Amino acid sequence: MSLVAIPFKSEVPDTVLNLVEIAASHPRVKGVLAIGAEEDDTFRALRGRQEGLQRENGTFLEVILQERIGTKRPGKGDAMNTALKWFLEETDLSRIHFYDADITSFTADWITQAEEGADLGFDVVRHYFPRTSTDGMITFLITRTGFALRWPTSELPWIQQPLGGELLFTRQVVEDLVANPIVQAQSDWGIDTVYTFFNVRDGHSMYESYRPEGKVHTLYGKLAELRTMLVECFSVVQELSRAPENHGWRGTDHTPTGGIVHRVEPQFQVPLPIIENVGFDIQGTMALLLEGWTNRQEELLNYFDRPIRDGLLGNRETPNFEFMGEDAWAQAYCTLLEKYEQGDADWEDLIFKLWTARVLNYSVNVALRGYGFARRYRHTTIVRYLKRAYFGECSGR
Amino acid sequence: MSLVAIPFKSEVPDTVLNLVEIAASHPRVKGVLAIGAEEDDTFRALRGRQEGLQRENGTFLEVILQERIGTKRPGKGDAMNTALKWFLEETDLSRIHFYDADITSFTADWITQAEEGADLGFDVVRHYFPRTSTDGMITFLITRTGFALRWPTSELPWIQQPLGGELLFTRQVVEDLVANPIVQAQSDWGIDTVYTFFNVRDGHSMYESYRPEGKVHTLYGKLAELRTMLVECFSVVQELSRAPENHGWRGTDHTPTGGIVHRVEPQFQVPLPIIENVGFDIQGTMALLLEGWTNRQEELLNYFDRPIRDGLLGNRETPNFEFMGEDAWAQAYCTLLEKYEQGDADWEDLIFKLWTARVLNYSVNVALRGYGFARRYRHTTIVRYLKRAYFGECSGR
Amino acid sequence: MSLVAIPFKSEVPDTVLNLVEIAASHPRVKGVLAIGAEEDDTFRALRGRQEGLQRENGTFLEVILQERIGTKRPGKGDAMNTALKWFLEETDLSRIHFYDADITSFTADWITQAEEGADLGFDVVRHYFPRTSTDGMITFLITRTGFALRWPTSELPWIQQPLGGELLFTRQVVEDLVANPIVQAQSDWGIDTVYTFFNVRDGHSMYESYRPEGKVHTLYGKLAELRTMLVECFSVVQELSRAPENHGWRGTDHTPTGGIVHRVEPQFQVPLPIIENVGFDIQGTMALLLEGWTNRQEELLNYFDRPIRDGLLGNRETPNFEFMGEDAWAQAYCTLLEKYEQGDADWEDLIFKLWTARVLNYSVNVALRGYGFARRYRHTTIVRYLKRAYFGECSGR
Amino acid sequence: MSLVAIPFKSEVPDTVLNLVEIAASHPRVKGVLAIGAEEDDTFRALRGRQEGLQRENGTFLEVILQERIGTKRPGKGDAMNTALKWFLEETDLSRIHFYDADITSFTADWITQAEEGADLGFDVVRHYFPRTSTDGMITFLITRTGFALRWPTSELPWIQQPLGGELLFTRQVVEDLVANPIVQAQSDWGIDTVYTFFNVRDGHSMYESYRPEGKVHTLYGKLAELRTMLVECFSVVQELSRAPENHGWRGTDHTPTGGIVHRVEPQFQVPLPIIENVGFDIQGTMALLLEGWTNRQEELLNYFDRPIRDGLLGNRETPNFEFMGEDAWAQAYCTLLEKYEQGDADWEDLIFKLWTARVLNYSVNVALRGYGFARRYRHTTIVRYLKRAYFGECSGR
C-alpha cells in the first residue's frame, strides 16, 4: 500500500481537496499526507475534511506543516523532505507518491499508472507530460543542458523531465534520500534536481510514464518566482558538478556501464491545445533584457567569450538575442559553471539575462518552426551537447 | 493550343532556360514568349536557344523586351501587359499561361493541370501553393484584408493567393484585360491585383489549382524591394476601392448574387520543409521599426486611433508591436484607405512601419502557435474582416 | 427571425428535448417546429414542454405529425416537406433551419454560424463535418459519384456533403422547393438529394459551413436501413439524370457559366476520435457478399463489363472485391444508371452487393493508408470522375 | 577503425556495389567484408571491384563465401557468424557493422551515426526505422510478443526492432557471440533473435539509433519466404524460452535490476510515403486461411482454447479472423510455446494460419484507424503483454 504526499502553499483549496479525494479513494492508497507551508485556508479546509475521509474511504488524511530541515531558502525542498521523513517514521508503507497541489487534470489513473510501474519492479516512477514548445525552458536550458555538459555518459541527460514533481519512490529510495545530507540540505527549488541526480547515482531503476492529457496547473505567472527557480536550479547543478567524486558517483561518468535501468514510454500523442499554446509574452520578455544593468554586470561579462559579452551588452540599447544560439549557450553555460557566484545579485541578474536571450533566440528561430521541429530540436541539442562534453569541452576536468 | 509567357528580369539564365525547355516540350504548348526587362545575359541566352527549340520541339520561342505601356513605375505590369498584347496581335491561340522566371520546382504537370482546368470550361486557372506561416504577409495583410474590408460579399476575399503569378487566361479574358485602361496603366507590382480584381468584376469563372510541392523560387531578399511591393500593392487597392462604381462593378458588392463560379482545390498536404521554414529574421525586422522617424510621420499618426498612434510611436525608443492585433490592423487599414497619399515618402515609411508591427505581432502571437493554427487563423481573420465590413465598418459608404 | 425544424422518428426523447431547448433559447429563433413520424413518447414529451418553453423563452414550440405529401415510401422526405409547407403557411419568418433529431454534439453555435452565412447574403447554408474515413460511403460512392458522372461541370460534385441534413434555407428557396412537384413527390431518403439538386439548378447561392467537432449521432446500426438508404439515394440520382432538360437545368451542364456562388469553409481540423474511428465491421460486411444470390441476379450481371460480372460472381464462393477499383465502380455505376429497375428486389440486392464490394475495396486499399490519404483520394476521385464524364463517358448523351 | 560486413544472396549487383562504395569511402572504415551465399553475379562483380577500391580509398574489400557453421537450415545465420569469425581471426579492428545488402536508402550517415553511438561507450548500436503500419508483423507478433510473454521484466520487449539487421558490435560483443554455441548453431533466420537475446543476457549496453528516412529495400515478395521466416523466428523464441536458466540468464527475469543500459532515440518523424503505404494484399492473404487444411491440423487445434480452435476452423469455409484479438493471440502464443513441434509441416501450417488471422484482425481493426493509432497500439500491447506475463500468465513456471 502507498502514501500520497501533496506539498501545498497558497493554493486554491478546492483544487487540493479534489486531489485528496481522488487519492483517498484509490484502492492502492492507505493514506494521504498534505504538507503545508503555513496554516492558511487550504490547511484549515484539509483539516476539516479529515474525519469524513477516514469514515467514507477508510483512508487517513494527515495535514502537517513543513519542517525546517535544509540549509537553503526554505521552500518546496523542506516540504518534500518533511514528507519523506514522515513516511519513514510514521508508516511502514512500501511506496510514496508526490503530486503537485495545483494540478487540475489529475485523475486516479495517474496513481494506477505509477503503481503499475512499481509493480514491474521499478524503484522510481516519474510521470512526464507533453509541453508547449516555449514552455519548460528551465528544464531544457538549465537542468538537461547541465546534465549533458557535465555527466554526458550517465543516464541523467536522457531523463525527459528531471524537474517533474509527479513521482513515486519505493521505500528503499526514500531511505537513501533521507540518509543523504546533500539532499536533506536542499530546501529550495533545487530539490527536484537532487532527487533525480541521486536516484541515478544510487543506481535506482526508473520508469518514465507518459500522461498524454498533460499537467494542467497554475502557471508561474510572476516573473520573480521564475527568476528564483532559475537561479536555484542552476545553483544546484553547479554545486553537484563541482566535485562529483564527493557525491559518490559510482565509477566514472565517462562510460554508461554502471548506468541504471531506465525505460521511457514513447510520447505518442500531444493534445492540440498544448501544441497551439504560447508559453509567454515575447515583447514583454524582450523588455527585461534592457532593465537593471549595472557596471558590475558589464565587468562580469568579461569572463565570457567576446561574442557573448558584446551580444548581451547590446541589450543596454535595444533587444539583442540573435547571438545566443545553441553553441553560444553551451559556452556561456560552461563559463557560468566556473564563475557564477551564488547569492550575488549581479550574477543572478546576468544569468537571468543570458537565459532570457537564449529563450528568445530559441523562440523565434526554433519554436516558430512548429511543435514537431522544436521537439526534435530539443532532443538533438541535448545529444549534441553530451557528445561535445564527452570529447572534453566543458567537462571541468 | 497555348502560349506560355515568362516575364524575366536579372534572373539566373539556367533557371529560365529550364522553364522554357519544359514549356516548349509540352504537347499543349505551341510556343513560348519570354519578356525581358532589358537585354541582359538571360535575354541573350534565350535568343541563342531559339533555333534549337524550334528544331527539336517544333515550338517557337520568341524573346522580346517589355514595352512601356503603363503609367506607374515601369515594372512587372508592363511585362505582363506586353505579353497579353503580343498574344492577341501575333497569335490566334486560345490560352496564355504565365509563370514566374525564377521558379525551380516547375514541372510539366503545372501546365497540364492548368490546361485541364480550362478544359473544364474555366476562364481563369490560378495555381496556388502551400506557404511558410510567416511568408505571404503582403497577400494576407494588404490584398486579402483590403478585399475583405471593401468588397466583403464579392468573391475577391475568397481567392487564396490573389497575387500569384502562375496562371492561365483564356482568350476572352485577355481581350477584356487589354481593353481595360486601368489594367493597362498598372505597370508596377499592382498588376496581379488588377488582373484578379477585374477577372472577378468581369464575371470570369476561376479555378484555383493546388500544387502541393510549393513554389520554390528566389526569395525577395532585399528589403527595399519588399517595401516597394508593399506600397504598390496597397496603392492599387486604395485606387480600386475609391470609386468602385467607376470600375463597372456589376450590381452591388453587398450580395454574392452575380458572383463568379470559383472552385478551389482543397489544400491537402503541406511538405514538412515548408511547414518548418521561417520566413524572416525577427530581430532584424524589429530594428526597422526604430529607424527613419521624422516629425511629419509623427504628425500623420494623428489620423489614427490613439492606441495605434501611441503604439507605433513607442518604436522611437524600443520595439513595440503588441498593440497591433487583428482589430488594430483593420482600423489602421481603414485609416490608410482614406488618408494615405501615394508618392509621399513619409506615408510610405509609415505604412511600412505599421505593416511591420503587424507582421511581428502575428509572428509571435499566431505563427508561434504552429502551422495549423496560423493557417486557420489567416482564413478566419479574413472571414471576420468581411463580416465587420459587411455591417458597415470601413465600407467607405 | 428564423424557424428551427426538427424531424423525428423513434428518437431518444431527451436528445430531442435538448435540441429544442438550445434552439428555443437562441436570440435569432422565433419558434421551433418538431415533425414526428407518429405519436410516440418523444412526441408526447415535446408536447408536454410547449407551455414551459413559451413562458421561459417567449419562443413557440409546435409539435405536429408529418403529412403524406409525396409518392415514394413515406419517410424523411414527407417530414421535411411538411415543415417547408408549414413554414410558408403558418409563419412569415425569413429563414428555416433543419437539424437531425439525434445529434448529441449540437450547440447554439450551429444556429449562429448558419445565420451568419445567411447574413452574408447566401440563400442556402449547409453545415458539413469531418467524417471517419470509412464512413459516408453512400455520399461518396452514390451521390457525389453520380453528380460527377452526370453533371460534371455543374457545382453539384463540388458540394462536400450533399446528403447533409443540417441546413438553412431562406424563404425564397423554400418557395421554390414547395412549388416543385419533383421535390414534393420525394417522400423518402431521396429528399436530401433533390433539395441539393434543385438548389443548384435554381441558382441559389450556397455556403458550406464547417463544424470541426463533428456530428455525433446515433449510427445507422441496422443494415436493412442502410440498404434502403442506398437504394433510395441511387434511385433519385437515376431519375434526375434521365432527362435533365425536363428539370429545367439552365443552359447546359457542360459549362460552369451559369453556375452558382458556392463558398466552402476549409476543413482545417479533424478531431482525433473521428480520425481513429472505424466505421464498420469488415469481416461481417464481407459475409454479406455471399448471401442471397439468385439466378436472376447472375443473369442481370450480364449487363456489366465482364471483369465486374466475373468479379462479383466470385462472391458466390468466397469474398471477392479486389476487382472493384475506382474505374470498375465508374463503369458499374454507368451500367446501373442505364439498366437498374426501381422496386426490383434482385436489382436492389445487386446494387447493394456491388456497392459493398466497392466499400471493402476502398477500405483495405485506400482507408488503410490513413485518414489524410483517404481524404485526398475521395476528392481526387470525384475530380477524375467528372473529367472522364466531361469527355463523354457515361454522360448519357 | 571498423569493418563493414555485408551478407548477400541473389541481390542486384549494383545495389550491393553502391553500399560497398559508400562504406569503403567512410573515414572510420578500414575495410569491407562481403559474405556471399554462393558464387553468383554479385560475388563476381564485387571481386572485380577489389583492386579499384583499395587503390582509390585505401580500403580493403574482402569477398568470401559463407561457411557452414550452424546446425539449423543454412542461411543468414551462417553468413553473419562467418563474418564475426573472420573479424576476430583476420583483423584487430575494434568494431564491426552489418548492413543488409538490398538497402537502397543507405548513406554514409548510417555509419557515422553508429560510430557515434559506440564513441559514447555503447557496446551495441542498432539502427531502427519507421515502418508502414501493416509491415513488421513478425517482429511485433512473434519476437516482441514472445519477449514480453517470457522475459517480461527484462530489456528484451523494450527493444524497438529486435530483428533489425543494421547494427554495430564492439569487439567484446563479437567475442561473446563467437564463444556462444547456441548463437553459432543458429544458421537460419533465427540469427537476429539470438544476437539480440544474448546481447541483453550478457549485459551489453545498447543504443537504438533512429533513421527517419526508413530502410528502403527489396520486399519479401514471396510468401514462402515469409512463412520460413515466421517459423524460424518463432522456433528460436520457443527454444530460448524453454530453459532460460540454461542460457545463463543473470539473476531472475522478474526484476529489471541487472538489466542493461539501453537508450532509444525518439521516433520523431515518419515520412508520408511510409505512413501511406500498405504492406500487403488483404484479400489475397485471406484466401490463404482457406488453403491446405488437413485432419491433423484440426486435431492439433484441440490444444487451444475453444474460441481459438472454433475460430480458426471457421476458415475451412470462409475467411474468419474476428476472433483473433489481442487476448486470443496471447493465449494462442502460450499454447504454441508449449505444444509447437519444430519441423512438423502441420504445425508450421497452423502457426502460419494463426498468425495470418491475427495479422488480418490487426489490419482491419487497428491499422485501419491510422498510423498514429497503430503505433500507439503496438507499443501498449507489448506493455499489456509483459504485465500479464509478470503476474504469472504464460510464464512457463
Side-chain angles (χ1 to χ4, degrees), chain A residues 28 113 116-123 152-156 158 160 205 207 254-269 372 375-377 379-380 383 386-387 390-391, chain D residues 28 113 116-123 152-156 158 160 205 207 254-269 372 375-377 379-380 383 386-387 390-391:
Chain A
R28 293 294 198 89
Q113 201 164 322
E116 287 182 355
D119 289 349
L120 288 172
F122 288 91
D123 303 324
T153 61
S154 79
E155 202 70 29
L156 290 171
W158 296 85
Q160 300 294 309
S205 58
Y207 189 87
H254 267 193
T255 158
T257 310
I260 60 161
V261 173
H262 174 211
R263 280 168 205 153
V264 185
E265 291 187 358
Q267 186 177 349
F268 288 119
Q269 287 170 280
R375 186 155 65 131
R376 287 201 314 276
Y377 176 86
H379 173 78
T380 53
V383 174
L386 68 88
K387 284 180 182 171
Y390 179 79
F391 294 105
Chain D
R28 295 293 199 90
Q113 200 164 325
E116 287 183 354
D119 289 349
L120 288 172
F122 288 90
D123 303 324
T153 62
S154 79
E155 203 69 28
L156 291 171
W158 296 86
Q160 300 294 308
S205 58
Y207 189 86
H254 266 191
T255 158
T257 311
I260 62 161
V261 173
H262 174 212
R263 281 171 205 151
V264 185
E265 291 187 357
Q267 186 176 351
F268 288 119
Q269 287 169 281
R375 186 155 66 131
R376 287 200 316 274
Y377 176 86
H379 173 77
T380 53
V383 174
L386 68 87
K387 284 180 182 171
Y390 179 79
F391 295 105

Side-chain angles (χ1 to χ4, degrees), chain D residues 26-155:
Chain D
H26 193 282
R28 295 293 199 90
V29 174
K30 182 80 183 169
V32 177
L33 175 69
I35 315 99
E38 54 191 4
E39 291 202 25
D40 58 9
D41 286 352
T42 304
F43 189 94
R44 282 179 291 273
L46 288 167
R47 282 262 161 113
R49 189 65 186 107
Q50 282 180 298
E51 270 187 53
L53 270 180
Q54 177 73 45
R55 197 174 53 240
E56 293 158 27
N57 300 296
T59 318
F60 69 77
L61 167 61
E62 199 64 37
V63 189
I64 61 175
L65 285 178
Q66 66 182 61
E67 293 177 42
R68 181 60 180 134
I69 296 174
T71 59
K72 310 278 178 179
R73 183 185 60 77
K76 197 190 175 197
D78 273 348
M80 294 184 82
N81 282 329
T82 299
L84 295 187
K85 216 173 122 200
W86 194 93
F87 169 77
L88 287 187
E89 292 174 358
E90 306 293 330
T91 82
D92 55 1
L93 297 169
S94 53
R95 300 166 183 171
I96 184 171
H97 296 241
F98 279 102
Y99 298 105
D100 280 359
D102 59 351
I103 306 174
T104 55
S105 56
F106 188 76
T107 68
D109 283 347
W110 296 34
I111 296 175
T112 304
Q113 200 164 325
E115 288 287 326
E116 287 183 354
D119 289 349
L120 288 172
F122 288 90
D123 303 324
V124 175
V125 182
R126 306 180 61 88
H127 289 306
Y128 84 104
F129 308 92
R131 302 187 79 169
T132 294
S133 61
T134 49
D135 200 6
M137 291 296 104
I138 293 179
T139 296
F140 170 45
L141 296 172
I142 300 298
T143 314
R144 296 192 70 194
T145 292
F147 282 174
L149 290 175
R150 297 310 292 267
W151 297 275
T153 62
S154 79
E155 203 69 28

Side-chain angles (χ1 to χ4, degrees), chain D residues 331-345:
Chain D
Q331 285 164 14
Y333 200 102
C334 294
T335 305
L336 286 167
L337 278 176
E338 201 182 334
K339 302 295 184 188
Y340 178 83
E341 294 168 37
Q342 295 185 25
D344 179 310

Side-chain angles (χ1 to χ4, degrees), chain A residues 295-309:
Chain A
N295 289 341
R296 180 136 174 289
Q297 286 176 31
E298 298 179 13
E299 278 163 37
L300 294 175
L301 278 174
N302 287 319
Y303 287 125
F304 293 81
D305 289 353
R306 193 167 187 124
I308 294 171
R309 188 196 68 171

